[in-house]
């Protein structure tokens, strides 16, 4: 079809709905041009052709059927990130570098989706000891769900990786900076588990401060989304939320953002901090799990004149669910969901003292309480999804640790039943 008839990403969407397997597009102006169906790819493979080629094809179609075929590799199961620094004087002449897999670091990475098979934006960064940082200029993608073998140059160049479900308005999940030795083998998983708020992480992958009190000010700034080993920087227009702080049942502060700083009384009090977050706009198209998360944290606090900064008792729920790459579970009875919590740099959680879990198939209108048990300090809930094939599952948990910190969290559409 002629590309001027509609935006090319819309053409691809409509063609897929009509049963097409690919799109050939042309425009009236002469010369070659590059198709653009979105930063993370379109609904179908799309190829642009010159006007002369299009006229020849259209002429052939006017007299009968035309068969076309082409070959391409849409996603490679390997990726190489190489740094070849010169340590001596750089003079004229060419350079030849022979790279062998055995001399590189190797990572077997598993990528989970957010409920929709898609291409996530994949960016890499390289960091030299002198402080130079190099980000690769191209916008590459990685297919989710899926696996990939990733090679990195060994030596003193540090590497990291950023992954986004939707560019340019979606979040960026950030990996730690690391160097590799020859033959080093690693494993990594991305977007696994139930995605929700977590503590931010530094370049070494360690949890940083998420909530603190300074004098009569309480501040809160978590990472909105996180998986088992990463924390995300929020998207500029795809992630929204709010924050409310209550003391003794009375509101003492509100924010139109999912983070904020509030002034509080000096004396000791019991606080509840409620954060609501959700995905909106174009990023929501490929984000069909954890579509909205509401979390209420309970903790006690008072001014300590001798302490500049006091970490607050914030617990981040963690779930061990038998999810596949599409974040679905089997339609079966007796499935176990492990329950736990993590903290942040200002608070190390105590052992869990109580735990409750409920699940819903109607977005939270009605709930079924699961049987929860504890064994050797490990808590788990048993859910019954028999006969629930095709239904979305929302989760609600209430957790308390030995230090008196509490958290209640509702995750809308945490996963689906397949």
């Amino acid at each position: 079809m002629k590309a001027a008839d509609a935006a090319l990403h819309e053409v691809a969407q409509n063609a897929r709905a009509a049963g097409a397997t690919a799109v050939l597009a042309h425009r009236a102006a002469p010369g070659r041009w590059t198709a653009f169906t979105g930063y993370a790819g379109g609904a179908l493979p799309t190829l642009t052709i010159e006007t002369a080629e299009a006229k020849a094809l259209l002429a052939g179609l006017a007299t009968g059927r035309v068969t076309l075929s082409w070959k391409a590799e849409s996603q490679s199961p390997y990726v190489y990130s190489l740094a070849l620094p010169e340590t001596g004087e750089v003079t004229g002449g060419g350079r030849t570098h022979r790279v062998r897999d055995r001399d590189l670091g190797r990572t077997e990475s598993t990528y989970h989706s957010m409920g929709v098979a898609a291409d996530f934006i994949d960016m890499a960064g390289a960091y030299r000891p002198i402080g130079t940082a190099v980000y690769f200029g191209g916008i590459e993608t990685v297919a989710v769900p899926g696996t990939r073998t990733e090679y990195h140059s060994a030596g003193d160049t540090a590497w990291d990786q950023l992954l986004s479900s939707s560019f340019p308005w979606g979040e960026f999940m950030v990996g730690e900076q690391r160097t590799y030795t020859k033959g080093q083998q690693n494993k990594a998983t991305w977007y696994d588990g139930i995605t929700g708020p977590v503590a931010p992480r530094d370049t070494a992958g360690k949890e940083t401060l998420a909530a603190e009190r300074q004098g009569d000010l309480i501040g809160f700034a978590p990472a909105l989304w996180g998986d088992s080993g990463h924390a995300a920087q929020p998207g500029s227009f795809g992630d929204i939320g709010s924050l409310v702080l209550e003391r003794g049942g009375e509101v003492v502060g509100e924010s139109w953002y999912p983070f904020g700083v509030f002034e509080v009384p000096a004396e000791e009090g019991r606080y509840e901090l409620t954060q609501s977050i959700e995905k909106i706009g174009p990023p929501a198209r490929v984000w069909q799990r954890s579509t909205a998360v509401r979390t209420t944290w309970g903790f006690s606090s008072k001014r300590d004149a001798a302490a500049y900064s006091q970490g607050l008792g914030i617990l981040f729920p963690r779930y061990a669910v038998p999810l596949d790459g599409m974040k679905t579970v089997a339609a079966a009875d007796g499935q176990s969901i492990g329950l736990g919590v993590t903290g942040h740099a200002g608070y190390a959680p105590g052992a869990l003292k109580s735990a409750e879990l409920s699940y819903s198939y109607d977005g939270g209108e009605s709930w079924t309480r699961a049987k929860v048990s504890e064994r050797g300090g490990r808590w788990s809930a048993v859910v019954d999804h028999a006969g629930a094939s095709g239904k979305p599952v929302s989760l609600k948990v209430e957790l308390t640790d030995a230090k008196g910190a509490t958290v209640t969290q509702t995750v809308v559409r945490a996963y689906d039943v397949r």
Side-chain angles (χ1 to χ4, degrees):
M1 74 160 298
K2 193 181 297 183
D5 292 345
L8 204 50
H9 74 275
E10 295 179 359
V11 171
Q13 290 174 355
N14 294 336
R16 183 174 68 175
T21 58
V23 172
L24 290 180
H26 70 96
R27 62 181 183 180
R32 292 199 173 276
W33 59 290
T34 301
F36 181 74
T37 55
Y39 289 102
L44 287 177
T46 302
L47 179 68
T48 58
I49 59 176
E50 291 184 347
T51 302
E53 294 174 318
K55 288 181 178 179
L57 286 173
L58 291 171
L61 286 170
T63 61
R65 183 173 180 174
V66 176
T67 300
L68 299 175
S69 64
W70 67 86
K71 294 181 179 180
E73 187 174 274
S74 60
Q75 296 290 344
S76 172
Y78 306 96
V79 65
Y80 289 81
S81 298
L82 305 178
L84 304 168
E86 297 283 351
T87 57
E89 181 181 359
V90 178
T91 59
R95 296 287 188 277
T96 299
H97 297 276
R98 189 179 300 275
V99 178
R100 297 178 175 86
D101 289 356
R102 65 174 180 267
D103 295 329
L104 306 174
R106 172 174 174 163
T107 302
E108 300 294 340
S109 292
T110 301
Y111 296 91
H112 298 256
S113 78
M114 291 303 294
V116 178
D119 293 326
F120 281 11
I121 296 296
D122 179 31
M123 297 179 65
Y127 306 85
R128 296 293 298 146
I130 61 174
T132 303
V134 178
Y135 284 92
F136 297 173
I139 296 179
E140 304 296 335
T141 60
V142 59
V144 300
T147 60
R148 188 173 67 175
T149 301
E150 299 162 354
Y151 292 97
H152 292 84
S153 290
D156 58 0
T157 299
W159 302 91
D160 70 3
Q161 184 178 0
L162 292 83
L163 213 64
S164 178
S165 64
S166 180
F167 187 79
W169 313 127
E171 80 301 330
F172 265 105
M173 201 75 77
V174 183
E176 65 182 275
Q177 290 184 19
R178 61 169 61 179
T179 57
Y180 296 85
T181 58
K182 292 183 179 180
Q184 179 179 342
Q185 297 189 22
N186 307 295
K187 291 185 178 181
T189 56
W190 293 82
Y191 286 85
D192 58 322
I194 305 299
T195 308
V198 297
R201 292 177 179 265
D202 62 16
T203 56
K206 295 182 179 179
E207 295 171 342
T208 62
L209 192 65
E212 65 171 332
R213 177 169 182 153
Q214 294 183 13
D216 291 338
L217 296 177
I218 280 179
F220 181 66
L224 300 193
W225 310 108
D227 58 22
S228 64
H230 309 94
Q233 299 174 358
S236 53
F237 288 98
D239 295 307
I240 64 170
S242 62
L243 194 65
V244 177
L245 180 65
E246 296 183 40
R247 182 179 187 273
E250 295 185 2
V251 175
V252 296
E254 295 181 84
S255 172
W256 289 359
Y257 302 94
F259 48 83
V261 177
F262 309 104
E263 187 171 0
V264 296
E267 58 270 21
E268 184 171 5
R270 186 69 182 177
Y271 291 86
E272 285 195 342
L273 183 67
T274 299
Q275 180 199 63
S276 299
I277 56 175
E278 64 177 301
K279 280 284 185 183
I280 64 168
R285 289 200 296 262
V286 296
W287 191 285
Q288 293 298 307
R289 304 289 185 265
S290 298
T291 54
V293 182
R294 181 181 176 88
T295 311
T296 297
W297 292 275
F299 56 89
S300 297
S301 179
K302 66 178 179 179
R303 183 202 295 171
D304 183 350
Y308 172 74
S309 173
Q310 305 172 66
L312 300 178
I314 297 297
L315 305 173
F316 295 103
R318 306 308 298 164
Y319 310 82
V321 186
L323 301 175
D324 61 11
M326 293 291 286
K327 294 195 191 303
T328 69
V329 302
D333 191 5
Q335 297 183 85
S336 178
I337 297 178
L339 300 175
V341 293
T342 57
H344 60 107
Y347 185 79
L352 280 184
K353 287 300 181 183
S354 66
E356 293 183 7
L357 180 139
S358 300
Y359 56 98
S360 171
Y361 297 126
D362 54 17
E365 293 295 324
S366 59
W367 295 95
T368 299
R369 178 167 290 188
K371 181 181 179 180
V372 176
S373 61
E374 180 266 338
R375 184 175 182 179
R378 296 179 177 273
W379 293 78
S380 61
V382 177
V383 296
D384 178 8
H385 293 322
S389 180
K391 293 184 178 180
V393 179
S394 298
L395 296 178
K396 179 170 63 176
V397 295
E398 299 176 39
L399 307 170
T400 303
D401 78 350
K403 298 180 181 181
T406 65
V407 62
T408 300
Q409 184 174 82
T410 300
V411 183
V412 177
R413 200 171 184 180
Y415 56 86
D416 280 11
V417 182
R418 61 179 178 271

